[in-house]
Amino acid sequence: MIDQIEENPTHIGHVLRASTNGFDFGTRGNVIDERHSFGSFVLAEIAGAGEACYAIGLIYAIRIADDPFVRELVMATEVKESTLKDQRHNRLVPIETLVLNVGYVYEGGAIVHSMPPRPPLSLTQVHLMPPDWVVAFVAKQDFFRMVLNAGEVPSDDLLAAAVRHAAQFQPDEQAQADYMVRCGRKVASLLTGDLKRIAHILNLMKA
Amino acid sequence: MSLEFTKIINDIQNMGRYLAYRDREALIDKALAILNDKGADLDFVKNRVRMVRESDVSGYRGAAPPPDAVAQPLNAVIPPPGGQARSTLIAVDGSQVYPNFESSSLYYVLNIGVLVYRHGTDEMPHQETLPGIFYTDGYILDETRQVISNRTVNSRRTVAEIRMLWHQARHLSREPAPRIAMHDGNLLKFFGGSDITDGSSLINEYMGLLVALQDAQTTLTGYVDNPRSSYLISLLHLLDLEPEHISDAMLRTNGEIEGLSDADVMARLLSPGERSVLMVQNSPANYEYKKFNPSHEIAVVYINTSDTKTPHIARLDVPMWVALDNDALDELHRVVLEQCRMQGMRPYPYGLTRADELAYISGREREQVESLVRRELIRNNSVQQSNGSAKANSKVFGRDSHKQGHRLGGFPLDRSSN
């Protein structure tokens, strides 16, 4: 599995800052695309592990910082194509993507739904999680609790987006339907007594 | 009962501002009246300038009309030329780290940034930087073995910027599009003064670069934002004097319109997008340029770069070879307006903003350079030089304020259970 990471062309950024709870990674503005989507699963190697170990996280926010220069440009009546290219490709405007840790995985393949033992170090490469890893990870829904209880993140929307993101990688329609039912039941069991929230999340999952 | 000053102090302050504004507006009215009356008569203007040039009056530093081929009445305005700009703009700017006695060793750093913007195409602009560190005695010490002044570093940076313009212009000379080389600042450089080391060789190189840029058929301009110059005001004062009153003493100030700048008048004269007529500065420095090569005398025009009712006046310096070429001047006019309008409410050439951004050496980068220099000195056993001053070292401890912790770090995620 680790080899897959090394060969995977899904390198999507480098860690800027991190804790065991989550990490932020930076990307240049010109390379942001569908891989940097809210609710996507990402991986970053954990510092100092004896055997290779990766933190598994969910993208919960993407921030494009402005600067005084950009603020001036948006006031112009017209932004020329050359200027757009210059701003997006030449200028080093980083995009910050924020990630919530929901688990980690060892080289041997053991998956743990818990906070990683250590955070990834600054400048560690961040990868999009391969589809078969996503399927393996969501086979259990223990990480749902971590998402629902996370502070400072839009938990309900994030959980629904993660469920939808993982659903597309299920092998067939029947597996996808079964998976969605399992996820719905898990949400219902975790939020017993809060019917409005359950209904809200289930609606978001279906969207 | 005595007057309660606290209750009228704000009104007095407002009154001061109002009177200053009113008086300034009256001065501008006066200047515009001279401009429209006497400045409209080009022969009268030429005669007056001839009077101060041919007499023993030597203190006149105001504007003068350019050669007859391009001379126009002073109150004429040139509307924005139609059509789209098709030139390639080469914009350059520079930044520096001065020699510092508190650093581990004496050196200075120059960083030149350039942006090449092709008008009339959708091509991505080309950006480039040219950093350099200068540390040998030949660069750092003057002929008396003293450390060179900051003005010397500034002068060398200026020449490096023009050199970069020439390199880029030469590189682009095979392309069909006309080239405009834009420098941030005036073009009438003066590298004299006792505190500038090798000033004569710098001016010689600068003049050589002007020749090279002319040979490369490049429109060179110096862009001066928010100019404070008063060449035109001095000329208006001269025009307003009775002939018998023209003397060095009378020309030492601008008389009744003293305190105004050319931009004050231009802000009223020029509508959005318009430019003034060409003028040259009557000064010994410009005369030296003209003596070196008549094509290198520096002319100026003022331009209103705003596209709103609020004027924004800039000055464009151009060498005479550009001033005498109407097509080149029109294309420069177009490019400046297009560049300035890219930046919305603060009209300023986009290319210069980007070149400045590329060239800028931040405080953190200065520290990194110093750290790298110190490491190399230690590696090469120049320990006695690498210690730096205790003051400089101690500053480092208090300046590590930019680190940012991860925002989720302090918040346990699994705070509750269901």
Side-chain angles (χ1 to χ4, degrees):
Chain A
M1 283 177 100
I2 299 299
D3 290 343
Q4 277 182 271
I5 297 284
E6 301 302 330
E7 295 166 5
N8 204 314
T10 54
H11 170 218
I12 54 173
H14 291 91
V15 172
L16 288 169
R17 60 189 80 89
S19 72
T20 48
N21 304 65
F23 57 90
D24 302 346
F25 68 92
T27 315
R28 284 183 66 170
N30 61 323
V31 296
I32 190 163
D33 53 27
E34 68 278 359
R35 297 172 303 170
H36 303 78
S37 297
F38 178 76
S40 294
F41 287 83
V42 297
L43 297 166
E45 189 167 12
I46 292 171
E51 59 179 323
C53 182
Y54 290 84
I56 298 172
L58 286 173
I59 293 176
Y60 73 86
I62 300 157
R63 292 178 179 164
I64 302 171
D66 72 341
D67 62 29
F69 195 4
V70 171
R71 262 175 257 155
E72 289 301 322
L73 293 177
V74 298
M75 298 300 287
T77 48
E78 178 196 10
V79 182
K80 290 182 180 294
E81 185 65 26
S82 296
T83 311
L84 278 179
K85 286 176 180 169
D86 186 44
Q87 291 291 318
R88 290 178 178 167
H89 295 265
N90 282 339
R91 289 190 79 217
L92 300 175
V93 179
I95 289 180
E96 287 192 16
T97 305
L98 284 59
V99 174
L100 172 73
N101 284 339
V102 291
Y104 56 100
V105 57
Y106 283 104
E107 187 171 15
I111 292 172
V112 182
H113 287 221
S114 178
M115 283 197 289
R118 288 171 298 283
L121 291 179
S122 301
L123 296 179
T124 300
Q125 286 193 353
V126 179
H127 291 266
L128 198 62
M129 198 159 157
D132 52 339
W133 284 41
V134 174
V135 172
F137 185 75
V138 300
K140 289 184 178 176
Q141 290 81 42
D142 296 342
F143 71 98
F144 279 24
R145 182 191 295 273
M146 296 175 69
V147 178
L148 291 173
N149 292 338
E152 298 195 355
V153 304
S155 333
D156 297 357
D157 292 78
L158 179 61
L159 182 60
V163 167
R164 286 200 311 272
H165 179 78
Q168 65 181 314
F169 300 130
Q170 298 298 324
D172 53 48
E173 279 189 21
Q174 185 57 51
Q176 199 175 78
D178 293 344
Y179 160 74
M180 293 298 280
V181 169
R182 283 200 306 278
C183 290
R185 284 180 179 153
K186 184 68 176 180
V187 170
S189 71
L190 289 173
L191 296 176
T192 311
D194 193 348
L195 290 177
K196 282 185 180 173
R197 195 174 176 198
I198 293 171
H200 177 61
I201 295 174
L202 293 180
N203 276 335
L204 289 172
M205 284 166 53
K206 283 190 288 187
Chain B
M1 188 175 173
S2 61
L3 181 63
E4 290 187 72
F5 284 95
T6 53
K7 291 185 178 176
I8 60 165
I9 190 68
N10 285 341
D11 288 339
I12 291 173
Q13 287 171 349
N14 287 338
M15 179 182 166
R17 280 194 290 269
Y18 166 75
L19 291 177
Y21 173 80
R22 194 190 64 181
D23 291 349
R24 194 165 192 81
E25 291 300 299
L27 286 185
I28 296 171
D29 286 341
K30 165 87 176 164
L32 279 168
I34 302 169
L35 181 72
N36 287 319
D37 177 16
K38 296 169 178 170
D41 184 345
L42 190 55
D43 289 333
F44 179 77
V45 175
K46 285 181 190 171
N47 278 330
R48 274 300 164 88
V49 172
R50 194 177 301 124
M51 283 175 71
V52 290
R53 280 179 172 169
E54 292 177 354
S55 67
D56 55 357
V57 174
S58 58
Y60 178 66
R61 297 289 179 268
D68 286 348
V70 289
Q72 289 175 280
L74 294 179
N75 63 340
V77 293
I78 316 303
Q84 198 185 15
R86 298 281 170 196
S87 292
T88 298
L89 175 75
I90 310 162
V92 72
D93 204 356
S95 180
Q96 71 289 313
V97 177
Y98 295 119
N100 183 354
F101 286 103
E102 291 181 357
S103 62
S104 54
S105 180
L106 284 171
Y107 60 88
Y108 69 90
V109 179
L110 297 182
N111 191 32
I112 310 299
V114 65
L115 189 87
V116 177
Y117 194 107
R118 291 178 167 84
H119 282 263
T121 77
D122 288 340
E123 279 186 50
M124 184 167 72
H126 168 73
Q127 63 178 19
E128 196 172 318
T129 59
L130 182 65
I133 181 165
F134 303 87
Y135 52 89
T136 57
D137 287 357
Y139 284 113
I140 284 294
L141 303 178
D142 64 15
E143 64 278 4
T144 62
R145 309 290 293 171
Q146 299 295 308
V147 176
I148 59 169
S149 64
N150 289 354
R151 281 191 67 205
T152 299
V153 175
N154 290 343
S155 302
R156 290 177 183 174
R157 188 199 71 205
T158 298
V159 172
E161 290 172 17
I162 305 298
R163 201 183 302 128
M164 171 64 100
L165 284 177
W166 172 62
H167 280 298
Q168 294 291 332
R170 190 178 56 170
H171 176 68
L172 294 166
S173 62
R174 289 180 192 155
E175 296 186 8
R179 292 162 299 285
I180 292 177
M182 185 178 281
H183 166 70
D184 183 17
N186 69 72
L187 288 185
L188 195 57
K189 303 296 182 191
F190 177 66
F191 301 126
S194 58
D195 59 339
I196 296 183
T197 305
D198 293 335
S200 58
S201 64
L202 285 172
I203 194 71
N204 285 341
E205 183 177 0
Y206 181 70
M207 288 302 194
L209 288 166
L210 293 190
V211 172
L213 281 160
Q214 185 183 8
D215 289 347
Q217 296 178 316
T218 301
T219 298
L220 174 65
T221 187
Y223 187 91
V224 182
D225 191 52
N226 199 17
R228 302 286 179 203
S229 45
S230 54
Y231 311 142
L232 176 65
I233 297 297
S234 296
L235 175 56
L236 295 178
H237 172 54
L238 173 67
L239 299 180
D240 202 37
L241 287 175
E242 294 300 328
E244 61 272 22
H245 291 153
I246 296 173
S247 65
D248 276 336
M250 292 298 286
L251 293 175
R252 203 162 290 141
T253 71
N254 290 327
E256 287 183 54
I257 49 175
E258 174 69 25
L260 288 184
S261 70
D262 293 355
D264 291 327
V265 173
M266 290 299 163
R268 291 266 290 273
L269 182 71
L270 301 175
S271 298
E274 289 180 342
R275 74 163 173 85
S276 72
V277 297
L278 283 159
M279 294 170 262
V280 295
Q281 191 203 355
N282 192 70
S283 70
N286 211 10
Y287 183 64
E288 287 298 316
Y289 276 47
K290 188 178 178 180
K291 263 200 321 187
F292 178 83
N293 186 332
S295 296
H296 295 169
E297 183 180 19
I298 303 300
V300 301
V301 296
Y302 291 94
I303 183 168
N304 182 357
T305 56
S306 172
D307 59 357
T308 68
K309 286 180 181 171
T310 307
H312 189 96
I313 303 298
R315 196 184 81 213
L316 300 175
D317 286 13
V318 290
M320 196 53 72
W321 85 76
V322 175
L324 293 174
D325 183 341
N326 281 328
D327 291 340
L329 214 50
D330 277 349
E331 181 64 3
L332 175 61
H333 192 161
R334 279 189 205 97
V335 165
V336 168
L337 291 182
E338 281 194 20
Q339 285 282 315
C340 287
R341 285 168 185 180
M342 288 177 195
Q343 290 202 187
M345 302 297 285
R346 292 176 202 236
Y348 186 76
Y350 177 83
L352 284 183
T353 305
R354 288 282 287 113
D356 170 77
E357 183 181 50
L358 289 165
Y360 177 65
I361 305 172
S362 68
R364 182 174 285 193
E365 286 166 337
R366 285 161 209 256
E367 288 171 11
Q368 285 173 337
V369 169
E370 171 58 16
S371 170
L372 288 170
V373 168
R374 187 169 297 182
R375 195 166 72 190
E376 287 305 312
L377 291 175
I378 292 170
R379 184 182 294 177
N380 290 283
N381 297 321
S382 298
V383 180
Q384 73 282 6
Q385 293 179 54
S386 70
N387 289 334
S389 75
K391 180 182 174 184
N393 288 336
S394 66
K395 284 178 180 174
V396 175
F397 301 130
R399 292 184 176 178
D400 194 15
S401 57
H402 302 296
K403 288 181 180 171
Q404 186 181 350
H406 186 259
R407 65 184 61 73
L408 295 181
F411 301 93
L413 291 176
D414 200 4
R415 287 180 298 195
S416 60
S417 57
N418 292 298

